[in-house]
């Protein structure tokens, strides 16, 4: 049985999304996997599904977000998510999944209601952290 109904993987690198997708499938983290390389498209999807109650796609209850993306970085994406009350009501778990282990990024991340901060690559230990978050 999956731990999450729907997961949204957002990374501007298609290879990273591919690898993360394989981890999600291997561990059966979610019934539905949404892959996005463009943060604007991911936001449009989330907003559209908040407005359309009959949408066949479900709002994600797990989001794995990169920080360093062109056009709209992970922090700006989180600021936009905060404007969507329906997502907050869903109590989605949000992890920053990033190559940055810079203390300033970690300090900035602490200002957001995140479930976790994971430094890439996604591996077994981080998967277990994501699974534990589903049980809370």
């Amino acid at each position: 049985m999956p731990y999450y109904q729907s997961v949204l993987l957002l990374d501007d690198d298609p290879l990273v999304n591919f690898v993360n997708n394989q981890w999600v499938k291997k561990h059966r983290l979610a019934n539905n996997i949404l892959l996005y390389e463009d943060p604007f498209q991911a936001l449009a999807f989330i907003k559209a599904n908040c407005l359309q109650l009959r949408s066949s796609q479900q709002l994600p209850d797990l989001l794995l977000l990169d920080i360093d993306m062109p056009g709209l970085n992970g922090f700006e994406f989180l600021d936009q998510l905060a404007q969507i009350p329906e997502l907050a009501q869903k109590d989605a778990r949000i992890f920053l999944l990033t190559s940055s282990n810079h203390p300033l990024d970690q300090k900035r991340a602490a200002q957001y209601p995140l479930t976790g901060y994971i430094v890439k690559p996604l591996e077994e230990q981080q998967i277990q952290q994501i699974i534990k978050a589903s049980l809370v």
Side-chain angles (χ1 to χ4, degrees), residues 3-123:
Y3 297 95
Y4 297 92
Q5 188 61 33
S6 182
V7 59
L8 186 144
L9 304 175
L10 175 58
D11 196 300
D12 61 311
D13 184 336
L15 180 59
V16 170
N17 265 346
F18 174 80
V19 170
N20 292 343
N21 186 31
Q22 295 306 307
W23 276 106
V24 169
K25 286 180 180 179
K26 177 182 176 183
H27 290 276
R28 297 183 180 136
L29 287 181
N31 286 324
N32 187 29
I33 303 170
L34 307 163
L35 298 171
Y36 285 94
E37 295 170 23
D38 182 327
F40 294 104
Q41 290 177 352
L43 276 174
F45 168 82
I46 291 170
K47 288 178 182 177
N49 280 279
C50 286
L51 298 174
Q52 297 175 14
L53 298 176
R54 296 183 183 195
S55 174
S56 62
Q57 298 283 351
Q58 295 188 349
L59 284 174
D61 52 352
L62 172 63
L63 292 89
L64 302 178
L65 310 173
D66 189 18
I67 290 177
D68 188 21
M69 296 181 289
L72 189 70
N73 70 37
F75 296 117
E76 294 164 335
F77 187 87
L78 289 169
D79 291 337
Q80 293 293 316
L81 285 183
Q83 307 292 324
I84 305 172
E86 294 87 350
L87 191 61
Q89 291 171 359
K90 187 164 177 111
D91 195 28
R93 306 291 193 261
I94 303 173
F95 288 84
L96 285 180
L97 180 57
T98 179
S99 57
S100 174
N101 61 1
H102 195 282
L104 290 177
D105 283 337
Q106 293 176 359
K107 183 177 179 180
R108 186 170 179 192
Q111 298 172 5
Y112 291 90
L114 298 173
T115 305
Y117 187 101
I118 298 172
V119 177
K120 295 178 193 175
L122 190 58
E123 295 177 339

Side-chain angles (χ1 to χ4, degrees), residues 3 27 29 123-133:
Y3 297 95
H27 290 276
L29 287 181
E123 295 177 339
E124 189 67 35
Q125 181 179 357
Q126 291 89 355
I127 291 290
Q128 294 307 314
Q129 180 184 355
I130 294 167
I131 290 171
K132 285 180 186 175

